[in-house]
Amino acid sequence: MRQYCYLILVVIFTSCGSAKIALDNNEWGKTEEFAVKGRQGIMINQKLSFGNYRTVSVKRSWTKGSSYFAGWATGRPGYNDYERVIGTEYSQRKQTIRFEMIDDKGNESSVFCLSRAREKDFMIGNNPNSLLNILLDISGKGDMSENTFWTKIFINNQSRSWEMLLDNEASQRNSKSYIGVVAQSRDNYYTIHPVYKIAGKNEKVYTMPVGSVGFELRNKEGKPVAAVSAIDKGAVYLNSTDPGEKFLLSNICAAILLRESI
């Protein structure tokens, strides 16, 4: 229902013209903009692509009756993180998506996503240095809602993953103040900020009274490095010159785009 509401608002604010998310030109450099192909709503077996980045596969469910992530325990050398962090009841539910992504530089990734996650589904424990606790500390949140989007990203067989927390409800309800997080460690992270401004006809900018139309990713220095638009078929914006970082950011953007399909 919330998605339909913001789409109606987009049409109203742009007087039925073409709409794009509005990015602060003073903060963005020579931005690359890519149209998204293959985003087909609930058709989850599609191949998603933008620019030189594309998913090899997109599938619901990680496992067949196990709480360990499919692909970790078998056939993925170097993936040594076997933390049992999700309850077995999620293993075959439709709230899960896994996909792999590649680019033209030879980079590859494996990504696991869970929507509608709850705090009690994670074994946080008393370890202040656990990645989940670090995510909560950076975002300034002491806990998670009942509808949090959680993602784990492995790049090029690296043993250390990236994790993302994005509260589906708070990011819409409190779009002007909400902050999500993607982190690999306490010193290596990005923050996620809802985009609630739209550029309509003649580049005129409108501010959404509620909700958001996309997300902006910023590095730990606060500089925007990527953005993803949820309008129509979607669009991805990259504001980085580092190939490795661009691949990571593309994985994050793809996960955000696919979260609406869960």
Side-chain angles (χ1 to χ4, degrees), residues 34 87 209 247:
F34 303 111
F247 184 66

Side-chain angles (χ1 to χ4, degrees), residues 1-165:
M1 180 61 69
R2 288 191 300 271
Q3 293 178 1
Y4 291 121
C5 289
Y6 86 66
L7 286 173
I8 291 172
L9 287 169
V10 168
V11 173
I12 293 174
F13 283 133
T14 57
S15 301
C16 298
S18 59
K20 298 174 62 175
I21 60 173
L23 303 174
D24 189 339
N25 292 329
N26 294 326
E27 293 290 335
W28 289 78
K30 295 182 179 179
T31 308
E32 295 178 282
E33 178 181 352
F34 303 111
V36 175
K37 300 178 181 179
R39 186 165 173 251
Q40 302 166 2
I42 62 173
M43 300 299 291
I44 200 57
N45 288 322
Q46 79 273 26
K47 299 239 180 120
L48 201 69
S49 66
F50 46 88
N52 297 319
Y53 310 95
R54 62 184 178 91
T55 59
V56 178
S57 63
V58 180
K59 298 180 180 179
R60 290 190 186 277
S61 178
W62 301 328
T63 65
K64 296 295 184 182
S66 169
S67 64
Y68 292 98
F69 298 134
W72 286 17
T74 59
R76 303 297 295 184
Y79 288 3
N80 298 318
D81 187 352
Y82 294 102
E83 290 181 280
R84 189 186 178 109
V85 295
I86 299 295
T88 57
E89 70 272 16
Y90 278 104
S91 63
Q92 296 192 38
R93 289 189 180 181
K94 291 183 178 180
Q95 291 102 318
T96 63
I97 282 181
R98 59 187 174 92
F99 68 88
E100 297 177 353
M101 177 169 272
I102 60 175
D103 67 4
D104 62 345
K105 304 294 184 184
N107 292 303
E108 60 181 3
S109 65
S110 291
V111 184
F112 305 86
C113 308
L114 170 65
S115 192
R116 300 180 185 176
R118 301 161 298 180
E119 180 182 1
K120 64 182 180 181
D121 296 316
F122 294 82
M123 295 183 181
I124 300 177
N126 297 317
N127 180 9
N129 293 317
S130 70
L131 190 48
L132 183 60
N133 282 324
I134 289 172
L135 287 165
L136 293 172
D137 288 345
I138 294 173
S139 66
K141 307 293 189 300
D143 54 20
M144 298 182 296
S145 78
E146 294 287 304
N147 190 9
T148 297
F149 182 67
W150 176 83
T151 301
K152 200 173 186 77
I153 304 172
F154 286 96
I155 303 290
N156 294 329
N157 288 333
Q158 294 177 359
S159 59
R160 296 187 66 184
S161 65
W162 289 81
E163 289 189 23
M164 174 171 67
L165 285 181

